[in-house]
């Protein structure tokens, strides 16, 4: 079967007064039916911009400078805005990271969930409320019919996030973009929400793009992982393979920064030195080389391609982890 989503050489830039930010610079990926793809990296690496490019919800000055975004074979890049409005919430939906700012404080929960059903499915107000109660029950909301009359401020953070998930699922989209869906929640609620997404994906056979900066969220909840740095994909592998046999130094650093259960309380948590580059003026060569302990003179001059003998585990590094000084990727 063809992939539900296929992105080819996507370039999304943000035009500023004196410069152009290369937020997404040549990203290619695909997501198969029923698959969860993890997109992981530090804040500012281009993860969210990649997800918002799919929906064509870009910030002021943002534009897609090149590439294609195929949803079930249809290229979304050239579509007029009226056609994109038909797709958003229907064929592809998004779960935002902060439910309090993504929900309308002046509208009831039932009305917000049912709005998409009325627009995309032509349902009446009563039918939309019935569907809203149905999806609230699906996401584990206590007393779902009673919640239809509540406003966002009357719910806890975990319940608000369940409302956001219900909104995304109301029209049973083919693809759900989960953009840091647990960032604003405490650890216990995080685990509940992630387990909920897992069970819903299996039940509804939907595809998921899980965007996060937390490698712990990726573990055990995705089929494949793509590691992103400074607007580019630097490594891709199936999730177990990435955790046991990573190749890119940036992936190694992200994994090293995860707290361990056997870690001493007085042990300092590892952090990656330096800061991500300014994408309005990216450095020459490998974009990670100013922060990489394996960097050589070649890394400062050449940008390593995303390639490898194993097509299931490509990476962009001249000095991969465990093979410093080895063959180029």
């Amino acid at each position: 079967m063809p992939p539900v989503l296929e992105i080819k050489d996507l370039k999304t830039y943000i035009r500023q007064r004196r410069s152009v930010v290369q937020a997404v610079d040549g990203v290619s990926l695909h997501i198969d039916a029923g698959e969860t793809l993890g997109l992981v990296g530090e804040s500012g690496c281009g993860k969210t911009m990649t997800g918002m490019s799919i929906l064509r919800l870009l910030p002021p000055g943002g534009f897609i400078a090149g590439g294609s975004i195929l949803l079930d074979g249809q290229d979304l890049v050239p579509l007029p805005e009226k056609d994109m409005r038909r797709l958003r919430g229907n064929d592809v939906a998004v779960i935002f990271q902060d439910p309090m700012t993504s929900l309308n404080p002046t509208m009831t929960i039932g009305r917000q969930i049912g709005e998409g059903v009325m627009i995309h499915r032509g349902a009446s107000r009563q039918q939309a409320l019935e569907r809203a109660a149905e999806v609230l029950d699906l996401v584990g909301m206590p007393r779902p019919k009673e919640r239809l009359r509540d406003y966002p401020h009357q719910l806890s953070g975990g319940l608000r996030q369940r409302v956001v998930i219900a909104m995304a699922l109301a029209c049973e989209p083919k693809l759900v973009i989960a953009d840091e869906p647990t960032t604003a929640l405490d650890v216990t609620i995080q685990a509940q929400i992630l387990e909920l997404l897992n069970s819903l994906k299996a039940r509804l056979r939907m595809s998921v793009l899980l965007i996060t900066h937390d490698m712990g969220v990726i573990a055990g909840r995705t089929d494949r992982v793509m590691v992103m740095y400074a607007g580019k994909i630097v490594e891709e592998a199936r999730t177990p393979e990435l955790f046991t046999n990573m190749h890119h130094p940036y992936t190694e650093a992200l994994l090293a920064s995860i707290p361990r259960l056997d870690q001493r309380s007085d042990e300092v948590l590892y952090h990656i030195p330096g800061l991500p580059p300014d994408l309005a003026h990216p450095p020459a060569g490998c974009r990670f080389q100013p922060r990489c302990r394996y960097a050589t003179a070649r890394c400062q001059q050449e940008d390593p391609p995303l390639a490898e003998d194993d097509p299931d585990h490509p990476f962009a590094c001249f000095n991969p982890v465990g093979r410093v000084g080895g063959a180029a990727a």
Side-chain angles (χ1 to χ4, degrees):
M1 292 180 62
V4 171
L5 176 73
E6 186 173 14
I7 296 177
K8 300 177 181 178
D9 196 27
L10 176 65
K11 296 181 179 180
T12 301
Y13 297 165
I14 303 173
R15 188 180 290 108
Q16 297 182 327
R17 184 174 299 177
R18 293 185 177 87
S19 61
V20 175
V21 177
Q22 302 173 25
V24 180
D25 193 12
V27 166
S28 297
L29 60 84
H30 73 275
I31 306 178
D32 295 324
E35 182 182 38
T36 297
L37 173 67
L39 189 59
V40 65
E42 292 173 290
S43 296
C45 73
K47 310 182 303 296
T48 294
M49 197 62 65
T50 300
M52 294 304 101
S53 296
I54 299 169
L55 293 160
R56 295 252 306 273
L57 295 175
L58 301 177
F63 65 99
I64 295 177
S68 60
I69 303 171
L70 304 177
L71 182 67
D72 266 354
Q74 181 182 23
D75 192 355
L76 306 185
V77 174
L79 286 184
E81 179 59 23
K82 64 177 183 178
D83 291 338
M84 283 303 303
R85 285 198 294 266
R86 296 191 187 103
L87 291 173
R88 295 187 196 114
N90 190 34
D91 294 298
V92 55
V94 60
I95 301 170
F96 293 104
Q97 60 179 289
D98 186 356
M100 195 59 192
T101 58
S102 57
L103 292 172
N104 189 330
T106 68
M107 293 173 61
T108 62
I109 297 304
R111 185 179 171 193
Q112 293 191 61
I113 298 174
E115 187 176 42
V117 183
M118 295 172 65
I119 293 172
H120 295 298
R121 300 297 170 88
S124 66
R125 185 175 296 275
Q126 182 58 39
Q127 290 171 330
L129 288 175
E130 290 173 359
R131 175 59 177 166
E134 183 181 338
V135 290
L136 282 176
D137 183 54
L138 185 67
V139 300
M141 176 71 77
R143 306 187 305 279
K145 291 185 178 180
E146 296 178 26
R147 297 296 186 182
L148 296 177
R149 297 184 295 273
D150 287 348
Y151 289 87
H153 72 271
Q154 296 176 277
L155 304 178
S156 67
L159 293 183
R160 283 195 295 265
Q161 191 65 297
R162 291 175 189 269
V163 172
V164 173
I165 295 172
M167 289 176 64
L169 300 181
C171 293
E172 299 184 2
K174 303 168 186 174
L175 172 68
V176 171
I177 301 170
D179 183 13
E180 302 271 13
T182 61
T183 298
L185 306 175
D186 63 61
V187 176
T188 303
I189 304 300
Q190 278 188 29
Q192 293 176 8
I193 295 298
L194 290 170
E195 287 302 321
L196 173 64
L197 287 174
N198 261 355
S199 64
L200 291 173
K201 184 200 78 166
R203 190 183 312 180
L204 302 177
R205 288 293 296 169
M206 62 184 183
S207 303
V208 178
L209 175 61
L210 179 58
I211 298 172
T212 181
H213 65 275
D214 189 344
M215 294 294 283
V217 169
I218 291 292
R221 296 183 175 90
T222 59
D223 301 296
R224 288 184 298 117
V225 182
M226 301 189 82
V227 182
M228 194 168 185
Y229 183 78
K232 293 177 174 284
I233 301 298
V234 297
E235 185 165 7
E236 175 187 358
R238 297 197 67 79
T239 305
E241 168 74 8
L242 188 85
F243 276 79
T244 58
N245 189 30
M246 83 292 293
H247 293 321
H248 199 281
Y250 181 58
T251 308
E252 179 191 47
L254 288 176
L255 290 171
S257 65
I258 301 176
R260 304 186 312 274
L261 290 175
D262 60 351
Q263 189 170 336
R264 298 195 317 270
S265 59
D266 60 345
E267 186 177 346
V268 177
L269 187 64
Y270 176 80
H271 70 280
I272 306 173
L275 296 171
D278 178 4
L279 293 182
H281 307 283
C286 174
R287 294 184 178 182
F288 187 60
Q289 58 86 10
R291 309 172 71 189
C292 180
R293 59 178 173 168
Y294 305 122
T296 62
R298 183 184 183 188
C299 303
Q300 299 174 11
Q301 300 166 0
E302 300 178 38
D303 187 13
L306 184 67
E308 171 57 14
D309 295 336
D310 181 3
D312 294 328
H313 192 165
F315 57 90
C317 185
F318 295 128
N319 302 300
V321 173
R323 289 184 280 169
V324 176

